[in-house]
Amino acid sequence: MTVINQIEGNKSGGMNGTVIVPGDKSISHRAVLFGSIAEGKTEIDGFLNGADCRSTISCMRHLGINIEESEARVIVNGKGLFGLDKSETVLDTGNSGTTFRLISGILSGQEFESHLDGDSSIRKRPMGRIIKPLTMMGAKIKSENNNDLAPLSICPSSLHGIDYKTPVASAQVKSAILLAGLYADGETYVTEPVKSRDHTERMLGAFGANISINGNRVGISDHPSLKGMKITVPGDISSAAYFLAAGLIVPNSCITVLNVGINPTRSGIIDVIKEMGGNIVLENKRIESGEPVADITVRTSALHGIDISGDIIPALIDEIPVISVMASVADGTTTIRDASELRVKESDRVKTVTENLRAMGADIEPHEDGMTIIGGRPLHGAYIHTYKDHRLAMSMAVAGLIADGVTSFDDSSCVYVSYPGFFESLKKIRK
Ligand code: S3P
């Protein structure tokens, strides 16, 4: 991986070419987790070899699962629902909220004790949102400092199904409950206020779980026999988003991103680009491993500001930092509301996006649940504080492409969390 700590802005040429982004992070995590508790081999092609998904592999190895790796193929030798062994060490989820929350659901159903921890960002993120429903199911979980934050200890217990209404639309919460539901007696249901990404339902169903879906309510039956399978992971739309934004805002550009997952619970950014007036075309639409995929081409466009709020938010929550960059160069005002979840991501993204875009000259006002951005102010290079947040770093790199002067980063190595080759890909298509 090349770590670039500087981007020279406003070069004369455009961004032109084809990009293949790494595998989807959410799907890669799930393939390893579900493969581990299925019987037999799960072969994963296109696995995202970034720090977050490596944390999932490492945790499952500590739990006794043999995982083989070669190039972009990972083979998980699953041992069935009750095949995991007690870990001799604290399970370290690194920066990965998905690893932490999903694995908590699995560990709640085990006959051994587990201890879970992560980095300084993980230790600030709300875990009460999983502790509460898992405890209602009978799980014995304590946050070691009694504050609903990592580190957590999970003790053996017997679980029973619940019918839970979650106050937040969160795929991590939904998935933790459904995974615990595999070990719980009876049926388990989760109802969300708005539907979050549905990779868990799709993939667990393909592994053999009995899943029912009724609007925003998902149900799962206990003790299924999950069978290992082959999974091809599509390119991550959240990683593609940086190139879609760059192709739209850098003059004289045309970028095609191949093989991008366009699951409707993830593809809100495509709707936003269209509504902002962006020239975007989806071709070669197909289904791979139960997930819709397409090749996406964007061309430089005159964007205009829009309002983004309501039910679309979960489908683009991770793309809001780069959408804010597009909004900064768009004509008129963009308002983002109903996105208070931004406050509890890898960094407080309302604060960190506002601070960095302001440093570059943007007109941006934070709100408790989003921000208002008045576009059209010329951006200039600045010193970016990434707060070790991968999506913030990559979004500000995109802003740096159209800024006057040089944009530098205190630490851009965090891109390794979801897109180890990000700076190489950027360099390849920049004239
Ligand atoms: C994810 C769910 C989302 C998303 C995160 C990945 C997942 O988080 O922001 O990057 O893979 O389930 P929440 O469940 O907290 O909304």
Side-chain angles (χ1 to χ4, degrees), residues 163-166 169 174 178 189-199 201-202 211-219 264-265 311:
D163 192 345
Y164 187 67
K165 266 203 168 112
T166 159
K174 172 175 62 181
L178 293 175
Y189 296 94
V190 191
T191 307
E192 300 186 279
V194 179
K195 194 177 175 70
S196 66
R197 64 191 65 192
D198 64 358
H199 306 301
E201 298 90 297
R202 286 178 189 243
I211 302 270
S212 62
I213 298 172
N214 191 352
N216 297 344
R217 185 172 191 244
V218 184
T265 60
D311 288 4

Short mmCIF file of all heavy atoms in Angstrom, two decimals, residues 163-166 169 174 178 189-199 201-202 211-219 264-265 311:
data_model
loop_
_atom_site.label_atom_id
_atom_site.label_comp_id
_atom_site.label_asym_id
_atom_site.label_seq_id
_atom_site.Cartn_x
_atom_site.Cartn_y
_atom_site.Cartn_z
N ASP A 163 -39.23 -10.31 20.01
CA ASP A 163 -39.81 -9.54 18.91
C ASP A 163 -39.44 -8.10 19.22
O ASP A 163 -40.07 -7.45 20.04
CB ASP A 163 -41.33 -9.75 18.91
CG ASP A 163 -41.97 -9.24 17.63
OD1 ASP A 163 -41.30 -8.49 16.90
OD2 ASP A 163 -43.13 -9.60 17.38
N TYR A 164 -38.38 -7.62 18.60
CA TYR A 164 -37.75 -6.37 19.04
C TYR A 164 -37.93 -5.25 18.02
O TYR A 164 -37.68 -5.43 16.84
CB TYR A 164 -36.24 -6.62 19.27
CG TYR A 164 -35.51 -5.46 19.87
CD1 TYR A 164 -35.78 -5.05 21.17
CD2 TYR A 164 -34.54 -4.77 19.16
CE1 TYR A 164 -35.11 -3.98 21.74
CE2 TYR A 164 -33.85 -3.70 19.72
CZ TYR A 164 -34.14 -3.31 21.02
OH TYR A 164 -33.47 -2.25 21.57
N LYS A 165 -38.33 -4.09 18.53
CA LYS A 165 -38.40 -2.88 17.70
C LYS A 165 -37.18 -2.06 17.99
O LYS A 165 -37.03 -1.54 19.10
CB LYS A 165 -39.64 -2.07 18.09
CG LYS A 165 -40.86 -2.34 17.26
CD LYS A 165 -41.81 -1.15 17.34
CE LYS A 165 -42.87 -1.30 16.30
NZ LYS A 165 -44.17 -1.52 16.74
N THR A 166 -36.27 -1.94 17.02
CA THR A 166 -35.07 -1.16 17.30
C THR A 166 -35.31 0.32 16.99
O THR A 166 -35.90 0.64 15.96
CB THR A 166 -33.83 -1.72 16.54
OG1 THR A 166 -32.85 -0.70 16.46
CG2 THR A 166 -34.15 -2.18 15.16
N ALA A 169 -32.13 2.59 12.70
CA ALA A 169 -31.98 1.76 11.51
C ALA A 169 -30.51 1.41 11.41
O ALA A 169 -29.70 2.23 10.99
CB ALA A 169 -32.43 2.51 10.27
N LYS A 174 -29.38 -5.02 13.76
CA LYS A 174 -30.27 -6.05 13.21
C LYS A 174 -29.53 -7.39 13.09
O LYS A 174 -30.04 -8.45 13.49
CB LYS A 174 -30.77 -5.58 11.84
CG LYS A 174 -31.56 -6.61 11.06
CD LYS A 174 -32.14 -6.03 9.75
CE LYS A 174 -31.09 -5.56 8.77
NZ LYS A 174 -31.67 -4.99 7.54
N LEU A 178 -30.22 -11.07 14.81
CA LEU A 178 -30.55 -12.24 13.97
C LEU A 178 -29.54 -13.37 14.22
O LEU A 178 -29.91 -14.55 14.26
CB LEU A 178 -30.57 -11.85 12.50
CG LEU A 178 -31.70 -10.89 12.07
CD1 LEU A 178 -31.55 -10.49 10.61
CD2 LEU A 178 -33.09 -11.52 12.31
N TYR A 189 -37.52 -11.83 15.99
CA TYR A 189 -37.91 -10.81 15.01
C TYR A 189 -37.26 -9.47 15.34
O TYR A 189 -37.11 -9.13 16.51
CB TYR A 189 -39.43 -10.60 14.99
CG TYR A 189 -40.19 -11.82 14.55
CD1 TYR A 189 -40.69 -12.72 15.50
CD2 TYR A 189 -40.40 -12.09 13.20
CE1 TYR A 189 -41.38 -13.86 15.10
CE2 TYR A 189 -41.10 -13.22 12.80
CZ TYR A 189 -41.58 -14.10 13.75
OH TYR A 189 -42.25 -15.23 13.36
N VAL A 190 -36.88 -8.73 14.30
CA VAL A 190 -36.39 -7.35 14.48
C VAL A 190 -37.16 -6.45 13.52
O VAL A 190 -37.26 -6.76 12.32
CB VAL A 190 -34.90 -7.21 14.07
CG1 VAL A 190 -34.36 -5.85 14.51
CG2 VAL A 190 -34.05 -8.32 14.61
N THR A 191 -37.69 -5.36 14.06
CA THR A 191 -38.35 -4.37 13.20
C THR A 191 -37.58 -3.06 13.29
O THR A 191 -37.28 -2.59 14.40
CB THR A 191 -39.81 -4.14 13.65
OG1 THR A 191 -40.46 -5.41 13.71
CG2 THR A 191 -40.55 -3.23 12.68
N GLU A 192 -37.24 -2.50 12.13
CA GLU A 192 -36.48 -1.25 12.09
C GLU A 192 -37.39 -0.09 11.67
O GLU A 192 -38.34 -0.30 10.91
CB GLU A 192 -35.38 -1.36 11.04
CG GLU A 192 -34.39 -2.45 11.28
CD GLU A 192 -33.26 -2.39 10.28
OE1 GLU A 192 -33.44 -2.87 9.14
OE2 GLU A 192 -32.22 -1.83 10.62
N PRO A 193 -37.05 1.13 12.11
CA PRO A 193 -37.86 2.28 11.67
C PRO A 193 -37.74 2.51 10.16
O PRO A 193 -38.69 2.93 9.51
CB PRO A 193 -37.27 3.46 12.45
CG PRO A 193 -35.95 3.00 12.98
CD PRO A 193 -35.99 1.51 13.05
N VAL A 194 -36.58 2.25 9.61
CA VAL A 194 -36.33 2.32 8.16
C VAL A 194 -35.44 1.12 7.85
O VAL A 194 -34.59 0.75 8.66
CB VAL A 194 -35.56 3.62 7.78
CG1 VAL A 194 -35.29 3.68 6.29
CG2 VAL A 194 -36.30 4.86 8.24
N LYS A 195 -35.63 0.53 6.67
CA LYS A 195 -34.86 -0.67 6.35
C LYS A 195 -33.37 -0.34 6.17
O LYS A 195 -33.02 0.55 5.39
CB LYS A 195 -35.40 -1.26 5.04
CG LYS A 195 -34.94 -2.67 4.75
CD LYS A 195 -35.60 -3.14 3.45
CE LYS A 195 -35.13 -4.49 3.00
NZ LYS A 195 -35.59 -5.57 3.86
N SER A 196 -32.52 -1.03 6.91
CA SER A 196 -31.07 -0.85 6.73
C SER A 196 -30.56 -1.90 5.74
O SER A 196 -31.33 -2.76 5.29
CB SER A 196 -30.35 -1.01 8.07
OG SER A 196 -30.49 -2.34 8.52
N ARG A 197 -29.26 -1.87 5.44
CA ARG A 197 -28.70 -2.80 4.45
C ARG A 197 -29.09 -4.24 4.81
O ARG A 197 -29.08 -4.62 5.98
CB ARG A 197 -27.19 -2.62 4.33
CG ARG A 197 -26.40 -2.92 5.55
CD ARG A 197 -24.95 -2.46 5.42
NE ARG A 197 -24.86 -1.01 5.31
CZ ARG A 197 -23.78 -0.33 4.96
NH1 ARG A 197 -22.66 -0.96 4.67
NH2 ARG A 197 -23.80 0.98 4.90
N ASP A 198 -29.42 -5.03 3.78
CA ASP A 198 -30.02 -6.35 4.03
C ASP A 198 -29.11 -7.51 3.64
O ASP A 198 -29.57 -8.60 3.34
CB ASP A 198 -31.37 -6.46 3.30
CG ASP A 198 -31.21 -6.39 1.78
OD1 ASP A 198 -30.07 -6.23 1.29
OD2 ASP A 198 -32.23 -6.51 1.07
N HIS A 199 -27.78 -7.29 3.67
CA HIS A 199 -26.86 -8.37 3.27
C HIS A 199 -26.99 -9.60 4.19
O HIS A 199 -26.84 -10.73 3.74
CB HIS A 199 -25.42 -7.89 3.30
CG HIS A 199 -25.17 -6.66 2.51
ND1 HIS A 199 -25.42 -6.57 1.16
CD2 HIS A 199 -24.72 -5.44 2.88
CE1 HIS A 199 -25.11 -5.37 0.73
NE2 HIS A 199 -24.69 -4.66 1.75
N GLU A 201 -29.68 -10.76 5.78
CA GLU A 201 -30.86 -11.57 5.45
C GLU A 201 -30.60 -12.36 4.17
O GLU A 201 -30.90 -13.56 4.08
CB GLU A 201 -32.08 -10.67 5.21
CG GLU A 201 -32.51 -9.84 6.39
CD GLU A 201 -31.83 -8.47 6.46
OE1 GLU A 201 -30.59 -8.42 6.60
OE2 GLU A 201 -32.53 -7.45 6.38
N ARG A 202 -30.05 -11.67 3.16
CA ARG A 202 -29.80 -12.35 1.88
C ARG A 202 -28.83 -13.51 2.07
O ARG A 202 -29.06 -14.62 1.58
CB ARG A 202 -29.18 -11.36 0.88
CG ARG A 202 -30.17 -10.35 0.32
CD ARG A 202 -29.45 -9.39 -0.61
NE ARG A 202 -30.32 -8.28 -0.97
CZ ARG A 202 -30.74 -8.01 -2.20
NH1 ARG A 202 -30.37 -8.76 -3.21
NH2 ARG A 202 -31.53 -6.98 -2.44
N ILE A 211 -35.43 -17.44 6.97
CA ILE A 211 -35.61 -15.99 7.18
C ILE A 211 -36.98 -15.59 6.64
O ILE A 211 -37.36 -16.01 5.54
CB ILE A 211 -34.54 -15.21 6.35
CG1 ILE A 211 -33.11 -15.63 6.75
CG2 ILE A 211 -34.76 -13.72 6.41
CD1 ILE A 211 -32.50 -14.85 7.85
N SER A 212 -37.69 -14.74 7.42
CA SER A 212 -38.94 -14.19 6.87
C SER A 212 -38.79 -12.66 6.82
O SER A 212 -38.18 -12.06 7.71
CB SER A 212 -40.12 -14.56 7.76
OG SER A 212 -39.94 -14.00 9.05
N ILE A 213 -39.30 -12.07 5.75
CA ILE A 213 -39.18 -10.61 5.61
C ILE A 213 -40.56 -10.05 5.33
O ILE A 213 -41.25 -10.49 4.40
CB ILE A 213 -38.21 -10.24 4.47
CG1 ILE A 213 -36.81 -10.77 4.81
CG2 ILE A 213 -38.16 -8.71 4.27
CD1 ILE A 213 -35.80 -10.65 3.72
N ASN A 214 -40.96 -9.08 6.16
CA ASN A 214 -42.27 -8.47 5.98
C ASN A 214 -42.07 -6.96 6.18
O ASN A 214 -42.03 -6.49 7.31
CB ASN A 214 -43.22 -9.06 7.03
CG ASN A 214 -44.64 -8.68 6.75
OD1 ASN A 214 -44.90 -7.86 5.87
ND2 ASN A 214 -45.56 -9.27 7.49
N GLY A 215 -41.89 -6.23 5.11
CA GLY A 215 -41.56 -4.80 5.22
C GLY A 215 -40.26 -4.62 5.96
O GLY A 215 -39.24 -5.22 5.60
N ASN A 216 -40.30 -3.84 7.05
CA ASN A 216 -39.07 -3.60 7.83
C ASN A 216 -38.89 -4.61 8.96
O ASN A 216 -38.04 -4.43 9.84
CB ASN A 216 -39.09 -2.20 8.44
CG ASN A 216 -39.10 -1.13 7.37
OD1 ASN A 216 -38.79 -1.41 6.21
ND2 ASN A 216 -39.47 0.09 7.74
N ARG A 217 -39.72 -5.66 8.95
CA ARG A 217 -39.63 -6.68 10.00
C ARG A 217 -38.97 -7.93 9.43
O ARG A 217 -39.42 -8.46 8.41
CB ARG A 217 -41.03 -7.01 10.52
CG ARG A 217 -41.07 -7.95 11.69
CD ARG A 217 -42.50 -8.01 12.20
NE ARG A 217 -42.61 -8.68 13.48
CZ ARG A 217 -43.26 -9.82 13.68
NH1 ARG A 217 -43.86 -10.41 12.66
NH2 ARG A 217 -43.33 -10.35 14.87
N VAL A 218 -37.90 -8.38 10.08
CA VAL A 218 -37.19 -9.58 9.64
C VAL A 218 -37.25 -10.62 10.74
O VAL A 218 -37.06 -10.29 11.92
CB VAL A 218 -35.70 -9.27 9.34
CG1 VAL A 218 -34.99 -10.50 8.80
CG2 VAL A 218 -35.56 -8.12 8.36
N GLY A 219 -37.52 -11.86 10.37
CA GLY A 219 -37.58 -12.93 11.36
C GLY A 219 -36.59 -14.03 11.02
O GLY A 219 -36.19 -14.20 9.86
N PRO A 264 -30.28 -2.12 -3.42
CA PRO A 264 -31.06 -0.89 -3.16
C PRO A 264 -30.92 -0.35 -1.73
O PRO A 264 -31.13 0.84 -1.52
CB PRO A 264 -32.52 -1.32 -3.40
CG PRO A 264 -32.47 -2.65 -4.04
CD PRO A 264 -31.09 -3.22 -3.91
N THR A 265 -30.54 -1.21 -0.78
CA THR A 265 -30.35 -0.69 0.59
C THR A 265 -28.99 0.00 0.76
O THR A 265 -28.66 0.47 1.84
CB THR A 265 -30.47 -1.82 1.66
OG1 THR A 265 -29.46 -2.82 1.40
CG2 THR A 265 -31.84 -2.47 1.63
N ASP A 311 -36.07 8.50 4.63
CA ASP A 311 -35.81 7.06 4.48
C ASP A 311 -34.57 6.71 3.66
O ASP A 311 -34.06 5.59 3.75
CB ASP A 311 -37.03 6.37 3.83
CG ASP A 311 -38.19 6.29 4.79
OD1 ASP A 311 -38.07 6.83 5.92
OD2 ASP A 311 -39.23 5.70 4.42
#
